[in-house]
Amino acid sequence: MIIDLRSDTVTLPSPAMREAMYRAEVGDDVYGEDPTINRLQELAAERTGKEAALFVPTGTMGNTASVLAHAGRGEAVMIGDQSHIYRYEVGGASTLGGSPMYVIPTDENGMLDLHKIETGISDGSDEHAAPTALLCIENTHNRCGGTVLNLEQIAALAELAQAHNVKVHMDGARIFNAATALGVPVSALVQKVDSMMFCLSKGLSAPVGSMVVGSREFIHKAHRMRKLLGGGMRQAGVIAAAGIVALEQMVDRLVEDHEHCKQLAYGLADYPQIEIDVERVVTNIVNFSVRNAQQQRLTHEETLQFLAKAQEHGVLMGTMGEGTIRAVTHYGLATEDIQTALHGIRRALIDMQL
Ligand SMILES: *Cc1c(COP(=O)(O)O)cnc(C)c1O
């Protein structure tokens, strides 16, 4: 049996989701007539405390539609260099929207420097610079290892942007993990931002789908952008039905994923070859690296060999580059599975003579 820690996207739909999908009432959503999608959108808006919501097939489409809705051609989007939107979404804001991306460094906890934001914002008075329309933030932060922005940090970012007439979009692919870690409702985390995307298809375990939330006016624009991107779907209530189950049944159990991740992180910290900062493991993602007997971090090549060895011992993990390995806990894993994974990793270390 393989324990798959590559991502929380490998989760399989729960039995309740299968049942809901089978029974879903559907209609043509391009006419706005799919009752299940409409119910999911109402539920998402309600849970996040926003006026309206839009169902999209992927997080990437949700972020792209949001960015296109906020920033017009020639208007700049300010973004962190480690952000998913910048690194993994094919440059949509620029390639599709004609928006230059103004990139600032992301700190190791996923936070952006307020001073760099302030000095980077252009109000359009200088004809040399593209006026800034949007600031994008990410919570939890994927590349930083599932780190969380707290209410004070979000308020500081949003208030600064607002003071300069800049909108804020939150890539909240794992916002429910952030809310769980902080012990606050999601609505509190998104209250000060103009829009937010979250994934149903990650920790919440739905097979497909993400949501965009914001004001009614913003969602109207995002809806048009979804059409532009080819995301107008028909009887997609069959997948939205699983999304409703995700929101109603899969949020409270995220705490289990976080406990498993801590268990994994503490277990890894016991191995002298492993370099890990347990304090930074606050949600369901753990980043770590492996050192050899000379205390050198494994090269990318060696990291791939280590991952292949771990796979031989029944554990799948991924790499983030530069010798960083990533493991993610999720629905479908039990406490015993974490122990089994730790044994597999230990055997891979022994095999590699590390
Ligand atoms: C997964 C992810 C996305 C994109 O979601 P897809 O459904 O894979 O397109 C966006 N942002 C973050 C932080 C993610 O982890």
Side-chain angles (χ1 to χ4, degrees):
M1 205 195 76
I2 290 269
I3 294 166
D4 194 344
L5 301 174
R6 286 173 302 170
S7 176
D8 47 10
T9 56
V10 302
T11 43
L12 299 175
S14 69
M17 285 178 185
R18 300 270 191 185
E19 184 71 23
M21 293 170 81
Y22 179 73
R23 299 195 180 283
E25 244 189 289
V26 295
D28 189 338
D29 184 51
V30 174
Y31 290 110
E33 290 174 2
D34 188 299
T36 307
I37 293 182
N38 291 340
R39 203 147 62 81
L40 172 61
Q41 290 176 163
E42 279 161 27
L43 182 62
E46 184 196 301
R47 285 289 156 91
T48 57
K50 293 294 190 196
E51 279 176 13
L54 182 70
F55 183 50
V56 288
T58 64
T60 300
M61 189 186 286
N63 279 333
T64 306
S66 300
V67 171
L68 297 184
H70 282 304
R73 183 169 185 81
E75 292 179 339
V77 172
M78 192 172 272
I79 194 154
D81 64 346
Q82 299 301 315
S83 69
H84 196 282
I85 294 179
Y86 181 62
R87 308 271 304 215
Y88 300 127
E89 299 186 13
V90 210
S94 307
T95 51
L96 301 172
S99 287
M101 292 205 223
Y102 187 101
V103 183
I104 52 180
T106 308
D107 83 6
E108 63 163 12
N109 296 311
M111 181 62 179
L112 303 174
D113 184 272
L114 296 173
H115 180 70
K116 288 210 167 71
I117 292 173
E118 186 150 37
T119 53
I121 288 176
S122 166
D123 65 2
S125 58
D126 176 353
E127 69 274 21
H128 299 86
T132 313
L134 180 67
L135 170 69
C136 293
I137 61 177
E138 188 170 314
N139 202 16
T140 67
H141 202 288
N142 183 14
R143 273 187 68 83
C144 292
T147 53
V148 168
L149 296 180
N150 63 31
L151 288 170
E152 292 71 35
Q153 289 172 308
I154 297 164
L157 291 160
E159 281 159 18
L160 175 59
Q162 245 163 32
H164 293 275
N165 246 335
V166 170
K167 301 282 192 216
V168 181
H169 172 70
M170 182 185 281
D171 176 350
R174 296 185 180 84
I175 195 67
F176 285 92
N177 293 92
T180 301
L182 292 165
V184 300
V186 163
S187 56
L189 293 175
V190 300
Q191 197 209 341
K192 289 186 184 274
V193 302
D194 297 282
S195 60
M196 191 262 294
M197 180 286 291
F198 71 90
C199 293
L200 298 161
S201 63
K202 293 189 171 164
L204 301 183
S205 313
V208 185
S210 293
M211 305 301 300
V212 174
V213 299
S215 68
R216 227 174 284 289
E217 190 192 347
F218 164 78
I219 289 296
H220 183 71
K221 287 189 203 162
H223 195 161
R224 188 158 62 231
M225 294 306 146
R226 184 185 72 175
K227 190 69 191 158
L228 172 72
L229 297 169
M233 297 184 286
R234 309 290 179 196
Q235 288 74 23
V238 288
I239 51 177
I244 293 172
V245 176
L247 281 175
E248 287 182 339
Q249 298 182 12
M250 305 302 276
V251 172
D252 291 345
R253 60 155 305 287
L254 290 175
V255 63
E256 236 175 85
D257 296 347
H258 295 186
E259 279 165 14
H260 286 157
C261 200
K262 271 279 185 210
Q263 185 194 346
L264 181 64
Y266 278 109
L268 289 168
D270 278 344
Y271 302 155
Q273 303 92 331
I274 289 191
E275 190 186 348
I276 185 173
D277 184 353
V278 174
E279 291 301 309
R280 291 183 52 226
V281 180
V282 293
T283 59
N284 67 330
I285 302 178
V286 52
N287 283 347
F288 64 95
S289 57
V290 180
R291 285 174 180 267
N292 63 20
Q294 289 75 47
Q295 290 298 305
Q296 287 157 333
R297 195 185 270 208
L298 299 193
T299 63
H300 185 60
E301 248 345 277
E302 291 165 338
T303 303
L304 295 180
Q305 284 166 18
F306 171 73
L307 290 176
K309 274 284 169 229
Q311 184 169 356
E312 281 175 30
H313 292 294
V315 190
L316 276 176
M317 295 176 291
T319 169
M320 307 290 283
E322 291 159 49
T324 301
I325 295 165
R326 179 172 99 133
V328 186
T329 54
H330 51 77
Y331 171 64
L333 293 173
T335 304
E336 307 82 75
D337 294 326
I338 305 301
Q339 279 316 318
T340 309
L342 283 166
H343 287 305
I345 291 166
R346 194 168 127 76
R347 292 179 66 181
L349 291 169
I350 292 168
D351 279 3
M352 296 266 299
Q353 299 182 326
L354 291 167

